[in-house]
């Protein structure tokens, strides 16, 4: 059984990393069950293993944490649901690419519960939504904004770090970085899309979508 943990308030990022690493080690040793941890962080930026210095455009705005997850710069803050995923990928097919695809499917299924169509785009990490009300690109393509970020790390085939979904964060806080190294697209949230959705609403949808995506 996967243990679901929800923490209210704002959780310190460094403390969360230490907790995840300890839990992942216990899962690998067979002394703790897999876990999904739902929380919020205070405003901060994280630099993944592929982060480029030039993408931190306002380094003095919020604390910057070097993270062991994959990916580039991202923002965490109030109103954003962070979902830390500590699962045994070795026991779930031993296929990292398939596991990431499952995480994407999980997010897309969760968003669908609120009538939001999420998309995966080649070469762009995360989940995106089309914005037909915004000006098209110079190529004529629909504008798209990012609503969810995905960045994981594996140790002994146990995943940690995970997903963030924008429910109602201050979107201006993303302007201190180039989110995930992508400058030609923006970010959005469920509130920005006109939805009055609470974190509790999202959490309920996450559980349902997780069950259908992972078959449990």
């Amino acid at each position: 059984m996967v243990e679901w943990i929800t923490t209210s308030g704002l959780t310190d990022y460094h403390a969360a990393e230490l907790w995840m690493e300890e839990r992942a080690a216990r899962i690998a040793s067979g002394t703790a069950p897999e876990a999904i941890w739902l929380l919020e962080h205070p405003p901060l930026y994280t630099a993944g293993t592929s982060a480029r210095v030039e993408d931190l455009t306002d380094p003095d705005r919020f604390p910057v944490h070097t993270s062991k997850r994959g990916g580039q710069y991202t923002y965490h803050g109030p109103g954003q649901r962070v979902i830390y995923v500590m699962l045994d990928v070795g026991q779930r097919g031993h296929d990292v690419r398939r596991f990431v695809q499952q995480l994407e499917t999980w997010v897309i299924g969760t968003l669908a519960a609120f009538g939001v169509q999420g998309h995966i785009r080649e070469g762009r990490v995360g989940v995106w939504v089309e914005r037909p009300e915004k000006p098209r690109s110079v190529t004529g393509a629909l504008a798209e904004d990012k609503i969810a970020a995905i960045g994981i790390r594996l140790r002994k085939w146990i995943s940690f770090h995970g997903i963030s979904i924008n429910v109602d964060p201050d979107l201006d806080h993303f302007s201190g970085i180039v989110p995930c190294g992508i400058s030609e697209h923006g970010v959005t949230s469920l509130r920005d899309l006109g939805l009055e959705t609470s974190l509790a609403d999202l959490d309920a949808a996450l559980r349902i979508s997780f069950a259908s995506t992972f078959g449990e």
Side-chain angles (χ1 to χ4, degrees):
M1 294 291 292
V2 176
E3 180 182 7
W4 287 73
I5 304 163
T6 303
T7 299
S8 60
L10 303 178
T11 301
D12 176 78
Y13 185 80
H14 181 62
E17 279 203 310
L18 292 176
W19 192 92
M20 280 191 289
E21 292 193 10
E22 187 272 340
R23 182 58 176 256
R26 290 175 59 207
I27 295 169
S29 68
T31 58
E34 298 173 302
I36 305 292
W37 188 14
L38 308 174
L39 69 152
E40 291 176 277
H41 287 305
L44 57 92
Y45 298 130
T46 67
T49 55
S50 301
R52 299 175 298 192
V53 174
E54 61 270 24
D55 288 343
L56 180 61
T57 58
D58 191 354
D60 298 322
R61 187 170 189 179
F62 298 124
V64 180
H65 295 265
T66 300
S67 174
K68 298 174 183 176
R69 63 162 175 79
Q72 301 186 40
Y73 279 103
T74 192
Y75 165 78
H76 292 314
Q80 181 191 72
R81 177 52 91 207
V82 175
I83 307 126
Y84 286 138
V85 182
M86 288 145 281
L87 298 176
D88 190 337
V89 181
Q91 295 295 320
R92 293 171 175 273
H94 232 265
D95 187 331
V96 177
R97 183 184 294 265
R98 177 174 177 270
F99 178 67
V100 172
Q101 289 172 342
Q102 286 178 311
L103 296 179
E104 294 168 340
T105 299
W106 179 23
V107 173
I108 289 171
T110 300
L111 296 174
F114 304 99
V116 175
Q117 177 62 62
H119 300 274
I120 303 302
R121 298 304 189 212
E122 186 70 28
R124 282 194 260 141
V125 179
V127 178
W128 302 78
V129 294
E130 295 179 345
R131 306 300 303 272
E133 74 278 13
K134 290 188 173 184
R136 289 175 176 261
S137 71
V138 293
T139 64
L142 283 175
E144 294 183 334
D145 289 338
K146 190 173 193 174
I147 195 168
I150 298 174
I152 63 167
R153 180 177 173 85
L154 265 65
R155 181 177 297 159
K156 295 183 178 179
W157 286 98
I158 307 300
S159 68
F160 54 109
H161 294 280
I163 301 164
S164 60
I165 300 176
N166 297 330
V167 178
D168 185 24
D170 185 337
L171 295 180
D172 180 63
H173 288 181
F174 287 86
S175 63
I177 57 172
V178 178
C180 299
I182 300 171
S183 59
E184 62 270 28
H185 297 280
V187 291
T188 190
S189 66
L190 293 175
R191 173 64 64 87
D192 185 49
L193 295 173
L195 297 169
E196 299 292 330
T197 306
S198 69
L199 291 176
D201 293 335
L202 184 74
D203 294 347
L206 281 165
R207 283 177 175 261
I208 294 170
S209 181
F210 182 87
S212 62
T213 300
F214 290 90
E216 55 193 80

